Amino acid sequence: SDLYKLGLNLEYNDDQISDFGLDQEQIELNTKNGFRPEYKSITRWYTFYFEVGRLNYKNYLVDGKKLILTSSLAATSSFEDKILSKHELKFNYYKLIKNTQNLAWQFKFSANNLNQLQFQNYIGGFSEVRGYQDGQFSTPAFWQNNLEYRTNLYENKFGIVQGAVFSDQANETTLLNNTTDKNMPMMLSTGFGIRLISPKIYRFVG
């Protein structure tokens, strides 16, 4: 049966910017983005979340679906007080096939209303869109879609070798109302790979 969860998280951040150890190019980039040595930011986050669904784990296999909605408000004080809002939707779906194969699908949408670097969404890398560098692109708003099919190639008591075929897509944009604009460039990655899964290791305490 589905599991429902509703909650509130509170978070406090106190940040101080320093130019120590930076070269001139990095200092100029910080200045361009509003980060100066005297920059100090205090942020109070209030995050509401709602979850529905359940993911069932059977060793390395997963079955089920889960939807997570989060909405965050933050009071930020720096040179001028600002109110930050961030909203995110994440849906995961796993289908178990013949007890040795997994179909995995993830869709994610995230958006916020500030341009500061520490509040950006960073896209690219192994857990986002494969084939791109980690955090290669940054944007206040984006959607991401990941589809992967996994099947066992070899299995014994020492481990499992899986083959995986995947397709990742993402669209990064600076305007929330343009996230479905077909003229915007799309990140696309398709390929295959090998997954190595070791047996579960239990710690022995004597």
Side-chain angles (χ1 to χ4, degrees), residues 6-22:
L6 180 66
L8 170 65
N9 290 330
L10 304 177
E11 184 177 337
Y12 176 86
N13 299 111
D14 190 343
D15 300 315
Q16 177 74 51
I17 301 300
S18 172
D19 280 346
F20 179 77
L22 300 182

Side-chain angles (χ1 to χ4, degrees), residues 124-126 129-133 136 166 168 187-190:
F126 184 74
V129 181
R130 286 160 281 195
Y132 295 84
Q133 298 178 2
Q136 183 170 343
F166 67 87
D168 302 331
M187 300 171 64
L188 175 62
S189 176
T190 302

Side-chain angles (χ1 to χ4, degrees), residues 102-104 130 147-151 163-167 190-193:
N102 242 161
L103 177 66
R130 286 160 281 195
L147 184 65
E148 182 170 304
Y149 174 75
R150 309 164 185 168
T151 185
V165 179
F166 67 87
S167 179
T190 302
F192 63 91

Side-chain angles (χ1 to χ4, degrees), residues 13-200:
N13 299 111
D14 190 343
D15 300 315
Q16 177 74 51
I17 301 300
S18 172
D19 280 346
F20 179 77
L22 300 182
D23 58 31
Q24 187 58 39
E25 182 179 356
Q26 292 170 321
I27 292 175
E28 291 176 357
L29 181 62
N30 273 356
T31 302
K32 179 180 178 181
N33 286 282
F35 292 102
R36 296 179 289 276
E38 69 273 15
Y39 181 92
K40 184 176 177 64
S41 173
I42 296 176
T43 307
R44 299 173 180 86
W45 287 89
Y46 306 88
T47 301
F48 300 89
Y49 65 89
F50 172 72
E51 299 181 9
V52 59
R54 183 192 299 270
L55 297 180
N56 303 300
Y57 293 86
K58 182 182 178 182
N59 199 353
Y60 60 93
L61 298 169
V62 191
D63 190 49
K65 58 184 180 295
K66 177 181 282 190
L67 173 67
I68 303 175
L69 302 173
T70 60
S71 183
S72 303
L73 294 176
T76 302
S77 59
S78 51
F79 294 106
E80 56 185 47
D81 292 337
K82 298 177 181 177
I83 299 296
L84 165 70
S85 66
K86 181 175 182 178
H87 310 283
E88 187 170 292
L89 178 152
K90 184 177 180 181
F91 178 74
N92 289 96
Y93 175 81
Y94 292 87
K95 178 65 176 179
L96 183 59
I97 306 171
K98 297 182 180 179
N99 291 321
T100 59
Q101 304 169 51
N102 242 161
L103 177 66
W105 174 42
Q106 174 181 261
F107 179 81
K108 181 179 179 181
F109 174 80
S110 181
N112 66 58
N113 65 345
L114 283 187
N115 293 320
Q116 281 87 341
L117 290 178
Q118 74 268 38
F119 297 124
Q120 293 287 291
N121 293 300
Y122 290 90
I123 316 170
F126 184 74
S127 62
E128 303 280 345
V129 181
R130 286 160 281 195
Y132 295 84
Q133 298 178 2
D134 288 344
Q136 183 170 343
F137 299 97
S138 63
T139 177
F142 79 103
W143 64 262
Q144 173 187 319
N145 187 70
N146 307 97
L147 184 65
E148 182 170 304
Y149 174 75
R150 309 164 185 168
T151 185
N152 288 4
L153 301 178
Y154 179 76
E155 179 178 358
N156 63 24
K157 63 181 180 179
F158 300 107
I160 299 168
V161 179
Q162 277 192 332
V165 179
F166 67 87
S167 179
D168 302 331
Q169 308 91 38
N171 193 357
E172 59 92 15
T173 176
T174 56
L175 296 175
L176 178 59
N177 59 2
N178 279 345
T179 54
T180 57
D181 187 345
K182 296 181 179 180
N183 294 321
M184 299 296 294
M186 178 182 291
M187 300 171 64
L188 175 62
S189 176
T190 302
F192 63 91
I194 299 294
R195 304 176 80 239
L196 302 177
I197 304 172
S198 64
K200 185 177 293 185

